[in-house]
Amino acid sequence: MIRLIQAELLKIRSTRMWLGMLGLSVGFALMGLVFYIALAGVEMDGREALPPVTDPDTVRAFYANASGGVLFMMILGIVGITGEYRHGTITQAFLVTPRRGRVLAAKLVSYFLFGLAFGLVTVLATVAVALPALAIRGGSTSLLDNDVPMILGGTVLAMGLYALVGLGLGALIRNQIAAILVAIGWVQLVEAIVTVALPQVGQWLPAGAVRAITRTTGGFGGMGELDTLPPWGGTLVLVGYGLVFAVIAMVTAVRRDIG
Amino acid sequence: MLGDCRDWHDVSVIEVQELTKTFGTVRAVDGVSFTARPGEVTGFLGPNGAGKTTTLRMMLGLVAPTSGRALINGRRYVDLERPVVEVGAALEATGFNPGRSARDHLRVACTAAGLPTRRADEALETTGLKEAADRRVLGFSLGMRQRLALAEAILGEPRVLILDEPANGLDPAGIRWLRDFLRHLADIGCTVLVSSHVLAEVEQVADHVVIVARGRVLRDAPLAELVRGGELKVGTRQPEQLRRALEEAGATVRFEDDRLWVSGVDAEQVGRAALDAGAVLTELVEERSGLEHVFLELTRAEMGEAG
């Protein structure tokens, strides 16, 4: 098992795909953060665009930007499995380890860890920008208050779990482009619409779970506008999605012919 | 391994038993059975679409058979303890991530299989890819990809090799090298199964030939047996006299294109018959394309029967 995880590490290290996904994840987080920094407490049309940095909600929103790129962890997972089908390297993997369940188990563990690691880097980058910005603007610089540990820790966990969801989705669909389009369509359209139109349903979706963990509404309004699960509930929901898609990945990849 | 005292020529290392694969209503592979023995190169021949690749993939546990089974060293591939050390497989030249270097591609397999990573460099050297080891596969020619696939197959120094169209895309020098390489492996006691749709590639290296078409085995015989029964083309000034003499010697003779086409006797017997009959020979050629002849006859008959 350790050998197979080492092989996955070598696979991901030996092409440049991971750099792109990490760049996008960090880039999205910082882009959102810069937006918040620019607008927090600034008056527009006679009222504040966003609450000032002294408001705990704003502090939370600053750090919650770290989770802005969870989609890219999903894509990381998707590419992690569909790339093998696309290039035919899945044949090598299953020839070396004909017990396919082991290959998939190693992949799931590895991509969960990759997601966590990328999440950690994204969180560190976010903190590195948010902290000085808060200090300059007179906000709280404590990393222990305002649910900050929960938000940052939850983001790291969410990144890992989203990679698992991506693996499951990729194993199910197998076509890389189709799987990525489904992921983007889901996150950008389906979840976005359901979250606004049917928040009582939206809170049970992965995005709702991330919102619960990062203590944000996901929109620009304040807390409490949308139905949102408690943080532990969001964590459980997200873990549930990760496990369900892990099982999907296992079952689909283990049974199908590789032709 | 070969350490025990059994005569390894008698052991069937690869045993395919009634393998069948149905895709929807199509029987891509229809009750295929054959064996491959150590010390021999077994050619697995058939036109494109004959079911060769599906058969090989079933043997390697990549495609689940509808029925039947394939054993390697007495076990199904998926039940082998360390498959890469027992069986080397090269399936097609597309199984590479274009962004990964040749060395990394092999190191992934080494790592997963628990082989020392120096095996990657050794295999690259054996297959003549040492110079290209650190280049991305993206820039590889088809021939180089074939060599890399072969390098992957020999990583674990297996005694059984299963190669799907390994000569595809190789230049003449590459094909020559491949032939020598396969011959060498068979000579040291390995079991080599090579599929091909190009007869010329296999004819010169195979000891045993299995011919398939439309998912069924048409012939399964030593190469020598298949090639025998080819014809001799004989030109002569006295066709009638020679014909009579040859038929007395037990030959079957037909007359076509001003030549006698003779089967059932060898060149020496033709010479003797000519001497006895006082016939002047102007030409005596052994038809080389014996296997091709057999192959075309067999596959044509099969296609006609099915159509």
Side-chain angles (χ1 to χ4, degrees), chain B residues 24-75:
Chain B
T25 56
V26 182
R27 286 182 96 98
V29 177
D30 192 358
V32 166
S33 300
F34 65 88
T35 58
R37 289 167 207 83
E40 286 186 358
V41 175
T42 302
F44 191 43
L45 294 172
N48 284 324
K52 300 187 298 289
T53 297
T54 306
T55 302
L56 297 185
R57 286 186 169 266
M58 284 194 281
M59 293 168 65
L60 295 165
L62 295 167
V63 169
T66 306
S67 64
R69 59 177 191 167
L71 302 179
I72 298 169
N73 294 328
R75 276 183 295 174

Side-chain angles (χ1 to χ4, degrees), chain A residues 158-247:
Chain A
M159 294 276 204
L161 292 170
Y162 260 68
L164 286 191
V165 172
L167 271 185
L169 194 63
L172 191 64
I173 299 178
R174 291 213 280 190
N175 180 303
Q176 188 163 84
I177 306 293
I180 291 175
L181 286 178
V182 165
I184 292 175
W186 173 260
V187 170
Q188 298 294 328
L189 286 175
V190 180
E191 276 190 333
I193 291 169
V194 172
T195 298
V196 176
L198 295 165
Q200 67 275 30
V201 177
Q203 65 181 334
W204 297 99
L205 299 180
V210 171
R211 217 164 56 228
I213 294 172
T214 57
R215 316 296 302 131
T216 54
T217 59
F220 292 131
M223 276 291 280
E225 278 186 5
L226 297 169
D227 291 337
T228 304
L229 300 169
W232 60 266
T235 307
L236 282 184
V237 167
L238 208 52
V239 169
Y241 277 111
L243 289 178
V244 165
F245 277 87
V247 170

Side-chain angles (χ1 to χ4, degrees), chain B residues 20-295:
Chain B
T20 298
K21 180 68 179 182
T22 314
F23 294 111
T25 56
V26 182
R27 286 182 96 98
V29 177
D30 192 358
V32 166
S33 300
F34 65 88
T35 58
R37 289 167 207 83
E40 286 186 358
V41 175
T42 302
F44 191 43
L45 294 172
N48 284 324
K52 300 187 298 289
T53 297
T54 306
T55 302
L56 297 185
R57 286 186 169 266
M58 284 194 281
M59 293 168 65
L60 295 165
L62 295 167
V63 169
T66 306
S67 64
R69 59 177 191 167
L71 302 179
I72 298 169
N73 294 328
R75 276 183 295 174
R76 294 187 312 151
Y77 188 84
V78 292
D79 296 328
L80 295 176
E81 216 50 61
R82 298 191 66 196
V84 176
V85 177
E86 289 189 60
V87 186
L91 280 178
E92 68 220 289
T94 54
F96 310 108
N97 187 318
R100 193 171 287 145
S101 73
R103 176 183 279 128
D104 280 340
H105 177 78
L106 296 183
R107 284 175 58 203
V108 167
C110 284
T111 306
L115 297 168
T117 47
R118 68 174 163 77
R119 279 299 304 149
D121 294 307
E122 289 167 6
L124 286 167
E125 177 140 26
T126 305
T127 51
L129 284 173
K130 198 179 168 192
E131 310 302 317
D134 290 315
R135 280 169 49 195
R136 287 155 181 262
V137 177
L138 185 66
F140 276 28
S141 67
L142 184 55
M144 289 167 83
R145 285 167 199 244
Q146 286 286 23
R147 284 170 187 264
L148 182 53
L150 207 57
E152 193 174 341
I154 61 170
L155 273 183
E157 300 175 275
R159 307 292 296 179
V160 180
L161 277 165
I162 296 176
L163 311 174
D164 193 10
E165 303 271 358
N168 259 4
L170 290 183
D171 54 25
I175 290 178
R176 174 74 189 269
W177 168 84
L178 177 68
R179 202 185 293 144
D180 293 346
F181 184 63
L182 297 183
R183 190 69 260 159
H184 165 73
L185 289 172
D187 287 346
I188 61 171
C190 292
T191 306
V192 184
L193 180 67
V194 194
S195 86
S196 179
H197 67 282
V198 183
L199 286 153
E201 290 165 7
V202 170
E203 196 172 357
Q204 295 177 48
V205 69
D207 303 292
H208 195 95
V209 178
V210 177
I211 299 177
V212 288
R214 289 186 166 253
R216 273 186 264 165
V217 174
L218 301 182
R219 275 308 271 281
D220 178 355
L223 183 76
E225 197 175 289
L226 279 178
V227 177
R228 202 165 51 214
E231 288 179 311
L232 295 166
K233 186 165 75 169
V234 184
T236 176
R237 300 266 181 241
Q238 291 80 22
E240 275 316 308
Q241 286 96 312
L242 181 57
R243 178 178 197 148
R244 235 173 285 125
L246 282 167
E247 280 170 352
E248 272 165 32
T252 309
V253 186
R254 61 192 175 87
F255 189 75
E256 197 182 310
D257 294 337
D258 270 343
R259 302 277 192 286
L260 295 177
W261 298 81
V262 183
S263 54
V265 291
D266 61 18
E268 188 187 331
Q269 287 170 289
V270 172
R272 252 174 225 295
L275 188 65
D276 294 347
V280 177
L281 290 184
T282 55
E283 190 178 2
L284 179 54
V285 181
E286 198 164 353
E287 280 298 290
R288 266 292 293 131
S289 58
L291 183 58
E292 183 154 19
H293 188 68
V294 173
F295 181 68

Side-chain angles (χ1 to χ4, degrees), chain A residues 89-199:
Chain A
T89 46
I90 194 79
T91 299
Q92 179 196 57
F94 288 161
L95 282 178
V96 174
T97 315
R99 280 163 209 165
R100 299 183 188 179
R102 292 190 192 169
V103 177
L104 265 294
K107 228 179 226 313
L108 288 165
V109 171
S110 304
Y111 276 78
F112 180 59
L113 295 177
F114 297 155
L116 292 182
F118 285 22
L120 193 64
V121 173
T122 307
V123 159
L124 289 177
T126 306
V127 170
V129 176
L131 207 55
L134 285 169
I136 291 166
R137 303 284 291 276
S140 163
T141 53
S142 165
L143 286 174
L144 298 175
D145 299 332
N146 305 314
D147 300 321
V148 172
M150 176 76 212
I151 292 171
L152 297 181
T155 296
V156 173
L157 180 65
M159 294 276 204
L161 292 170
Y162 260 68
L164 286 191
V165 172
L167 271 185
L169 194 63
L172 191 64
I173 299 178
R174 291 213 280 190
N175 180 303
Q176 188 163 84
I177 306 293
I180 291 175
L181 286 178
V182 165
I184 292 175
W186 173 260
V187 170
Q188 298 294 328
L189 286 175
V190 180
E191 276 190 333
I193 291 169
V194 172
T195 298
V196 176
L198 295 165

Side-chain angles (χ1 to χ4, degrees), chain A residues 4 20 41 76 86 108 167:
Chain A
L4 293 178
L76 181 80
R86 184 177 168 198
L108 288 165
L167 271 185

